[in-house]
Amino acid sequence: TNPGGRYHLNLERPYHRAILRLLYKACDRFKVDPKDAFEEIVLNPGKYVHAERKRRGVWAVPRHGQLDITFSVERGMQSALQGKDDYDFAEIIQDHYTLSRLRPSFRKVTPLLAQWRHMTGHEAEQIVLLEA
């Protein structure tokens, strides 16, 4: 899915910092510079400085303040699809899905499958998991 949109994050909340880290990871996945993906950045109080990647690939995001941002990976999508035949819709859609679908890491596949098995017989919950 496309993570683009407007975000209002309270950086004192761990969940909101995790969302910000996921947005930085989306920049990596779509091969977009964070300076291009993050727009209309307002941090209260203070001035926002983009996060840096620390050891083991973890993004060091700020821990204080209210952050309002607009996030867009459209430039990355456009550059990835550049040079494709405009009328080869199947290839364009396949490339779009390849870029936008999340692929869980190997460490997370086992817990996901365990959760799926736990939901056996609960079709509605399984559909929600698939659509998430």
Side-chain angles (χ1 to χ4, degrees), residues 88-100:
D88 189 354
F89 300 121
E91 182 183 10
I92 290 172
I93 288 174
Q94 181 62 40
D95 289 347
H96 175 78
Y97 282 148
T98 300
L99 280 173
S100 59

Side-chain angles (χ1 to χ4, degrees), residues 10 13 17-18 20 24 28 32 35 47 58-59 64 66 76 80 86-87 92 94 102 106 122 132:
N10 178 353
R13 293 182 171 176
R17 292 193 304 269
L20 184 57
Y24 277 103
D28 284 346
V32 178
K35 292 175 184 162
K47 182 181 178 202
V58 176
W59 290 93
H64 302 286
Q66 298 285 330
D86 290 343
Y87 297 102
I92 290 172
Q94 181 62 40
L102 291 176
F106 181 74
H122 301 277

Side-chain angles (χ1 to χ4, degrees), residues 21-109:
R21 283 188 204 96
L22 286 173
L23 295 176
Y24 277 103
K25 288 179 184 178
C27 289
D28 284 346
R29 193 172 81 232
F30 289 103
K31 297 175 179 58
V32 178
D33 189 325
K35 292 175 184 162
D36 294 331
F38 290 87
E39 301 169 347
E40 302 174 26
I41 303 170
V42 177
L43 177 66
N44 287 318
K47 182 181 178 202
Y48 187 74
V49 177
H50 280 287
E52 293 181 13
R53 189 184 303 244
K54 297 294 182 182
R55 279 181 274 168
R56 296 194 289 173
V58 176
W59 290 93
V61 298
R63 300 179 71 92
H64 302 286
Q66 298 285 330
L67 180 64
D68 295 327
I69 55 170
T70 300
F71 184 77
S72 174
V73 290
E74 295 302 318
R75 290 181 186 163
M77 294 290 280
Q78 286 176 353
S79 65
L81 297 175
Q82 196 171 20
K84 304 287 182 188
D85 181 10
D86 290 343
Y87 297 102
D88 189 354
F89 300 121
E91 182 183 10
I92 290 172
I93 288 174
Q94 181 62 40
D95 289 347
H96 175 78
Y97 282 148
T98 300
L99 280 173
S100 59
R101 286 191 177 163
L102 291 176
R103 292 175 269 328
S105 68
F106 181 74
R107 288 185 0 220
K108 295 179 182 178
V109 170

